[in-house]
Amino acid sequence: SLASTAITCFTRGLDLRKGTEDVLCPANCPLWQFYVFGDGVYASLSSVCGAAIHSGVITNTGGAVRVQTLPGQENYPAVNANGIQSQVLSRWASSFSVTAGPKSTALEAVGRSVSTARPSTGKRPKKTLDKKAGNKDCKADIAFLIDGSYNIGQRRFNLQKNFVGKVAVMLGIGTEGPHVGVVQASEHPKIEFYLKNFTATKEVLFAIKELGFRGGNSNTGKALKYTAQKFFSLENGARKGIPKIIVVFLDGWPSDDLEEAGIVAREFGVNVFIVSVAKPTTEELGMVQDIGFVDKAVCRNNGFFSYQMPTWFGTTKYVKPLVQKLCSHEQMLCSKTCYNSVNIGFLIDGSSSIGESNFRLVLEFVSNVAKAFEISDIGSKVAAVQFTYDQRTEFGFTDFVTKDKVLSAIRGIHYMSGGTATGDAISFTTRNVFGPVKDGPNKNFLIVLTDGQSYDDVRGPAAAAQKAGITVFSVGVAWAPLDDLKDMASEPRESHTFFTREFTGLEQMVPDIIRGICKDFLDSKQ
């Protein structure tokens, strides 16, 4: 029989590679966290186990499911069934259906816990974990930021190394499992080894054993900021689409400020955990710069990202719960960043006052903004509409899912030339371009580019767009009236309104627009 693959509560149809695949769903998945689109035939964006429960193939006790890949379709309906509310999706590139799978004893399915697969006691040897590949159900790129300050001292530093080693063993490091590296925080941070250096537990353990104690102040903030900025580059072994995690070990308290480092880490899409050992005593609290340092640094102040151990002695029982946290990749809320979780629609004025050569400068501006984002089927998306009195959708959010294709589509836009009806164009874009993605996971932004007075009202359509959850930036050139620009822009209007006399001035605005999108994205997540 086909071996069934154990999947997690959050595996989606598009994560499976074969046309027909037998999978095992775990028990006790949290129903409210399922994303399911459609009914009977599900968009491949849907959770496989969620779809299986929704369609009645299994219950929440888990079980075997056969997944059949199907072509994409239009209009996936929203239906409430078996405790799951599926959502509407107007179009998606592929689908799947689910039926009962073959009864299988091969693997216990993996839910939130770390892989618990064991060979069964039957006579036939069953599949064991592939040593080299590691634990495939734990997707994470992890930096252990260890405390190397005088606070901890040489003896406790060695106990800390032992603990990190135990965590590394239980994670199940391997080519397809978690990858880890270590940074030591002291006076100045030092990257001891990178993600790419080792992919076997044995090597990692050896490297941890060899670490020397540095001493100095515990400049944890400095080390955290440095790690968030430098550690996770692709050339240092970070993998695309895998959650980035920093586990900060702190003995006592930091001698510098963690707040700025926490902000930088969140901007870089890094999930920060703080493991504090031997919390400051009441007498010591007077020496702590900021008593709320843990809450400021962690990814989200929701209890999940902070972890406490009373001392470095007898820490074995703390290993498994920490590993379970690091492996629950659906909880890594900070992996979503402004770069990989936004939809940006460009509304481009094609009126005759612009002229062909300035129109090229407008397209260059659009390209430069789009270029900054991580465009992919699971990441950010871009769409463009050109308008005069009429509107023309140049491409929608789901037409191109790679950055290269989006950029070449922008280059290929032909200048229309005509009048200016900006209000109508905003309404058209809200309905036709943002309508299909309004229930999706990404945050929506509209950038309106115009060089003149609109013949129709812009205030009503812009207010309707904002009400539909779209943040509007207005970019005016030449004769565009400031009142119109302000009327279209989202609040606070000052930071969402841009103006330049000359088309050549568009280039300087690019970083400010990108920064504005990121600021709005972060504010919406607090």
Side-chain angles (χ1 to χ4, degrees):
S1 75
L2 283 170
S4 296
T5 314
I7 60 174
T8 72
C9 305
F10 301 92
T11 305
R12 300 166 303 176
L14 53 82
D15 298 326
L16 302 177
R17 291 282 166 260
K18 302 181 192 133
T20 305
E21 191 146 357
D22 288 317
V23 299
L24 277 174
C25 284
N28 306 323
C29 289
L31 293 185
W32 57 274
Q33 285 192 342
F34 279 132
Y35 272 112
V36 177
F37 302 89
D39 181 37
V41 173
Y42 300 95
S44 62
L45 206 53
S46 309
S47 149
V48 172
C49 299
I53 295 172
H54 184 264
S55 63
V57 170
I58 56 169
T59 64
N60 205 20
T61 56
V65 178
R66 177 162 285 183
V67 184
Q68 180 74 46
T69 304
L70 301 169
Q73 62 171 44
E74 311 226 329
N75 305 327
Y76 296 90
V79 175
N80 197 330
N82 301 317
I84 293 179
Q85 173 64 58
S86 74
Q87 303 180 53
V88 176
L89 194 62
S90 63
R91 191 162 97 221
W92 195 252
S94 59
S95 317
F96 65 87
S97 64
V98 281
T99 49
K103 290 286 167 274
S104 158
T105 52
L107 284 171
E108 236 182 279
V110 183
R112 326 214 79 179
S113 66
V114 184
S115 179
T116 47
R118 292 275 174 279
S120 81
T121 48
K123 288 291 162 274
R124 222 151 40 85
K126 296 283 191 260
K127 189 174 159 191
T128 53
L129 276 176
D130 171 0
K131 236 1 228 270
K132 254 179 104 72
N135 179 9
K136 298 180 195 171
D137 293 300
C138 181
K139 293 277 190 250
D141 281 343
I142 304 171
F144 291 114
L145 180 52
I146 61 173
D147 189 339
S149 70
Y150 292 137
N151 269 4
I152 192 169
Q154 178 75 59
R155 178 163 171 247
R156 297 206 302 270
F157 181 77
N158 287 338
L159 293 169
Q160 173 181 232
K161 290 198 321 191
N162 291 347
F163 180 75
V164 173
K166 286 175 187 162
V167 172
V169 170
M170 192 162 234
L171 278 168
I173 294 164
T175 49
E176 296 175 53
H179 291 180
V180 305
V182 170
V183 182
Q184 188 173 166
S186 52
E187 195 68 45
H188 303 292
K190 175 169 190 250
I191 296 179
E192 302 283 1
F193 59 90
Y194 286 104
L195 295 164
K196 65 173 179 194
N197 294 134
F198 311 111
T199 53
T201 308
K202 264 213 316 276
E203 301 169 340
V204 168
L205 282 178
F206 184 72
I208 290 171
K209 217 161 124 185
E210 293 294 294
L211 294 174
F213 173 58
R214 294 173 68 81
N217 280 322
S218 57
N219 287 333
T220 313
K222 183 176 172 183
L224 177 55
K225 185 174 168 185
Y226 180 81
T227 308
Q229 289 173 323
K230 301 270 190 285
F231 183 83
F232 294 100
S233 65
L234 293 173
E235 54 272 21
N236 289 331
R239 294 168 290 175
K240 275 203 167 123
I242 302 266
K244 305 177 178 69
I245 299 172
I246 299 177
V247 184
V248 180
F249 290 96
L250 247 179
D251 187 302
W253 66 91
S255 33
D256 62 354
D257 182 45
L258 291 187
E259 187 168 13
E260 192 205 344
I263 293 169
V264 169
R266 290 188 285 276
E267 271 194 3
F268 276 80
V270 177
N271 300 274
V272 175
F273 283 79
I274 292 209
V275 177
S276 42
V277 185
K279 284 200 348 207
T281 61
T282 330
E283 301 79 80
E284 289 170 337
L285 274 176
M287 298 150 81
V288 180
Q289 274 202 22
D290 182 353
I291 295 176
F293 67 83
V294 171
D295 294 344
K296 303 260 172 67
V298 288
C299 160
R300 284 281 187 289
N301 180 9
N302 60 2
F304 182 77
F305 294 94
S306 46
Y307 197 67
Q308 271 147 16
M309 302 193 298
T311 73
W312 286 110
F313 297 97
T315 53
T316 307
K317 63 174 177 295
Y318 293 102
V319 173
K320 190 171 179 189
L322 178 60
V323 168
Q324 286 179 340
K325 284 183 183 237
L326 299 181
C327 289
S328 12
H329 105 253
E330 70 286 352
Q331 299 274 11
M332 299 300 159
L333 303 172
C334 288
S335 295
K336 287 196 165 307
T337 67
C338 64
Y339 298 109
N340 66 19
S341 302
V342 295
N343 297 324
I344 304 174
F346 291 93
L347 183 52
I348 304 166
D349 185 339
S351 60
S352 43
S353 52
I354 291 180
E356 187 73 56
S357 62
N358 284 335
F359 189 73
R360 291 289 129 208
L361 291 174
V362 171
L363 295 184
E364 212 162 287
F365 166 83
V366 171
S367 286
N368 287 335
V369 173
K371 214 180 270 168
F373 293 87
E374 293 163 31
I375 300 164
S376 75
D377 55 342
I378 57 170
S380 291
K381 315 240 183 317
V382 172
V385 173
Q386 188 181 171
F387 72 97
T388 52
Y389 282 138
D390 268 336
Q391 306 86 28
R392 182 169 80 200
T393 302
E394 302 290 355
F395 55 92
F397 285 121
T398 50
D399 291 343
F400 303 111
V401 292
T402 67
K403 192 181 290 192
D404 289 346
K405 290 200 169 132
V406 165
L407 295 175
S408 83
I410 294 169
R411 280 196 299 273
I413 293 176
H414 294 297
Y415 174 44
M416 282 163 75
S417 187
T420 313
T422 315
D424 263 357
I426 294 173
S427 303
F428 171 90
T429 308
T430 303
R431 190 173 58 244
N432 297 321
V433 177
F434 285 97
V437 296
K438 76 168 187 301
D439 298 323
N442 288 0
K443 186 163 167 49
N444 293 314
F445 291 89
L446 173 63
I447 298 176
V448 183
L449 287 133
T450 179
D451 84 322
Q453 174 90 50
S454 176
Y455 293 113
D456 59 2
D457 167 59
V458 294
R459 186 178 293 176
Q466 290 167 33
K467 208 168 161 199
I470 302 165
T471 302
V472 182
F473 284 87
S474 59
V475 178
V477 189
W479 306 107
L482 206 54
D483 288 349
D484 273 11
L485 296 175
K486 283 206 165 122
D487 282 346
M488 293 188 280
S490 287
E491 300 282 350
R493 299 207 159 147
E494 288 58 56
S495 59
H496 292 83
T497 308
F498 292 84
F499 177 77
T500 171
R501 272 264 158 259
E502 307 290 336
F503 282 89
T504 46
L506 284 170
E507 201 180 331
Q508 285 96 306
M509 290 180 188
V510 171
D512 294 331
I513 300 264
I514 294 164
R515 215 169 290 129
I517 290 172
C518 285
K519 184 175 184 325
D520 288 344
F521 179 85
L522 281 172
D523 290 348
S524 74
K525 288 280 173 268
Q526 292 310 323

